[in-house]
């Protein structure tokens, strides 16, 4: 047991007090883990666009003060009652969606949508007692997607924690805790392109580029990258993207441009933007008869998907996925091994790195479209 087990820990956390306002590094109190919870010391975390949407809270339900962050790597500091599968010192990746191991979803080979621990972006407390483990001067601070990794210590349900090879460098594999597994799995596990096929990827951030990487690994011949930010196109070549479309360069809808380029449509498409318009285009650009489109981007809470039903009758399929259909505890350790065996490169996704005290810079890089992933180092 560590010397801090069972005690409240005071540590630094980046608190979002208000929507869209810079995070403030504060000293907060982190309560000990309760039954089926673990307290983690976070060493590295990264910024994903999902954090930014809920921090901006323009198209999402606002909940403040809140500690964001869900892509991270750390070490178990202490465990709560009933936790047998983890112990202090284990190297782990927390994941925003969990795996209880008991429910119908966890027992199904097809689903990673655990009944107990599936992603819930509007919940700001722990499921155990409906309370937060974070506070400042007695004021509770809300959690985000059960992970809240923008803190030196955080408390997470044991079902949302994957134990990984302790030899894996946490400053690299932390990005598997959301973005990279999400994109890779969206292609490999859900879209499943065939060798020699064509795949369109909408949005060339970390999620889209890892979806492109998945298409390359699957043996797709044409990988068409679609983005509004032309600076993404040069970078995307490193991820197997071999054709580019900027919707702004065309007068007609991008789905028509892609249909013309591909003799009727692509075999598969993966949407990684969060834009409802891009989601509709991603669906309408797949070939009739066999095309499959996969939605990954997080929509605004009031968005509605509108397309003509004939697009379905003409035998197009629309799917969606969280975390690329990977079960976090069962599947993530083997994705880490792919990196260790050099089957998967992570370095090329990491374009920036900042100390924790400069976490707001990571937001600037993402909002300006400059970074793929920015690693935030908790130890300065
Ligand atoms: P990012 O900001 O790094 O990349 C998004 C890219 O999409 C940017 O390059 C942007 O220019 C481009 N884009 C935006 N609107 C577009 C449009 N209409 N057409 C074409 N390109 C457009 O973000 P990210 O971290 O890679 O995340 C991508 C999306 O995936 C976000 O919506 C995020 O919330 C979501 N996400 C979903 C899951 C999941 O499990 N389903 C997990 C992680 C992230
Ligand atoms: Zn994410
Ligand atoms: Zn479950």
């Amino acid at each position: 047991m560590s010397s801090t087990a069972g005690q409240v820990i005071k540590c630094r956390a980046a608190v979002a007090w208000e929507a869209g306002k810079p995070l403030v590094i504060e000293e907060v109190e982190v309560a000990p883990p309760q039954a089926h919870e673990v307290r983690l010391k976070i060493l590295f975390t990264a910024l994903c666009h999902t954090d930014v949407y809920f921090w901006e809270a323009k198209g999402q339900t606002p909940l403040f003060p809140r500690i964001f962050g869900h892509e991270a790597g750390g070490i178990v500091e202490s465990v709560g009652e009933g936790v047998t599968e983890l112990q202090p010192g284990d190297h782990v990746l927390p994941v925003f969606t969990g795996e209880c191991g008991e429910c119908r979803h966890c027992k199904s080979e097809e689903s990673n949508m655990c009944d107990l621990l599936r992603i819930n972006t509007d919940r700001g407390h722990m499921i155990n007692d409906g309370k937060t483990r974070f506070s400042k001067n007695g004021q509770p601070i809300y959690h985000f997607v059960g992970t809240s990794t923008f803190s030196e210590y955080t408390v997470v349900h044991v079902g949302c924690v994957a134990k990984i090879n302790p030899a894996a460098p946490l400053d690299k594999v932390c990005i598997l805790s959301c973005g990279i597994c999400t994109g890779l799995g969206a292609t490999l596990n859900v879209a499943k392109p065939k060798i020699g096929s064509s795949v369109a990827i909408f949005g060339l951030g970390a999620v889209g580029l890892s979806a492109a990487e998945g298409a390359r690994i699957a043996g797709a011949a044409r990988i068409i990258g679609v983005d509004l930010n032309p600076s993404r196109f040069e970078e995307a070549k490193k991820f197997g993207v071999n054709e580019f479309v900027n919707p702004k360069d065309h007068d007609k809808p991008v789905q028509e441009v892609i249909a013309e380029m591909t003799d009727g449509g692509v075999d598969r498409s993966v949407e990684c933007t969060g834009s409802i318009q891009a989601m509709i285009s991603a669906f309408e650009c797949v070939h009739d008869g066999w095309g499959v489109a996969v939605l990954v981007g997080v929509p605004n809470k009031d968005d509605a998907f509108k397309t003509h039903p004939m697009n379905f009758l003409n035998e197009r399929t629309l799917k969606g996925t969280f975390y690329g259909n990977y079960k976090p505890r069962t599947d993530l350790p083997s994705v880490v091994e792919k990196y260790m065996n050099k089957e998967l490169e992570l370095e090329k996704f990491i374009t920036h790195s900042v100390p924790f005290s400069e976490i707001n810079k990571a937001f600037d890089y993402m909002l300006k479209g400059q970074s793929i992933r920015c690693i935030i180092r908790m130890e300065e």
Side-chain angles (χ1 to χ4, degrees), residues 4-319:
T4 43
Q7 295 172 22
V8 170
I9 290 182
K10 288 190 175 183
C11 69
R12 291 184 309 154
V15 179
W17 290 101
E18 275 180 74
K21 295 275 161 62
L23 307 187
V24 183
I25 305 279
E26 303 273 9
E27 187 181 79
V28 300
E29 300 190 330
V30 185
Q34 296 196 0
H36 307 294
E37 295 174 357
V38 294
R39 189 161 56 185
L40 308 180
K41 180 174 170 58
I42 298 296
L43 295 181
F44 298 96
T45 183
L47 182 64
C48 165
H49 214 129
T50 311
D51 296 307
V52 176
Y53 296 140
F54 286 84
W55 164 76
E56 286 177 325
K58 286 179 189 158
Q60 310 296 348
T61 312
L63 188 63
F64 296 94
R66 204 171 199 188
I67 297 175
F68 288 102
H70 63 281
E71 206 174 276
I75 295 179
V76 175
E77 173 269 336
S78 63
V79 304
E81 201 188 305
V83 174
T84 51
E85 50 277 76
L86 289 173
Q87 51 185 25
D90 284 343
H91 286 222
V92 294
L93 304 180
V95 180
F96 63 83
T97 195
E99 187 183 352
C100 77
E102 304 292 332
C103 71
R104 282 181 67 196
H105 289 272
C106 287
K107 291 198 164 132
S108 155
E109 270 180 27
E110 293 179 306
S111 172
N112 69 344
M113 297 300 297
C114 174
D115 272 333
L116 184 68
L117 299 169
R118 70 170 62 176
I119 183 169
N120 181 341
T121 51
D122 291 341
R123 189 179 62 224
H125 55 260
M126 300 304 286
I127 53 173
N128 222 357
D129 59 356
K131 296 201 172 113
T132 72
R133 301 289 170 269
F134 297 111
S135 60
K136 182 167 175 68
N137 302 327
Q139 179 185 6
I141 302 174
Y142 293 114
H143 295 246
F144 180 60
V145 292
T147 53
S148 293
T149 59
F150 296 162
S151 176
E152 290 175 314
Y153 287 87
T154 188
V155 177
V156 180
H157 192 284
V158 67
C160 299
V161 179
K163 180 176 166 177
I164 61 157
N165 182 346
L170 289 170
D171 61 334
K172 306 291 186 307
V173 298
C174 64
I175 60 174
L176 291 172
S177 127
C178 178
I180 309 309
C181 281
T182 295
L184 202 63
T187 309
L188 292 176
N189 301 337
V190 188
K192 299 184 182 163
K194 297 194 173 128
I195 292 174
S197 62
S198 57
V199 181
I201 308 287
F202 285 71
L204 301 173
V207 178
L209 292 171
S210 49
E213 193 79 338
R216 190 179 59 76
I217 292 167
R222 296 181 70 180
I223 306 177
I224 304 171
V226 183
D227 204 299
L228 301 168
N229 175 358
S231 74
R232 284 287 147 110
F233 295 158
E234 200 48 48
E235 263 166 341
K237 290 181 185 161
K238 288 186 233 157
F239 299 83
V241 177
N242 48 27
E243 292 173 65
F244 301 98
V245 179
N246 185 341
K248 286 189 202 156
D249 293 344
H250 302 272
D251 308 326
K252 54 185 149 199
V254 66
Q255 52 270 48
E256 285 177 29
V257 176
I258 293 173
E260 280 171 18
M261 287 166 70
T262 53
D263 192 20
V266 282
D267 301 311
R268 299 289 186 266
S269 74
V270 186
E271 176 280 327
C272 310
T273 68
S275 147
I276 186 67
Q277 200 46 57
M279 294 180 194
I280 294 166
S281 302
F283 174 58
E284 294 183 353
C285 82
V286 298
H287 208 287
D288 56 2
W290 60 78
V292 179
V294 178
L295 305 187
V296 177
V298 172
N300 284 350
K301 65 176 169 29
D302 300 325
D303 278 340
F305 187 98
K306 186 169 179 287
T307 192
H308 197 280
M310 198 52 96
N311 291 324
F312 290 99
L313 269 60
N314 288 340
E315 301 181 0
R316 292 181 184 88
T317 302
L318 180 61
K319 296 184 171 192

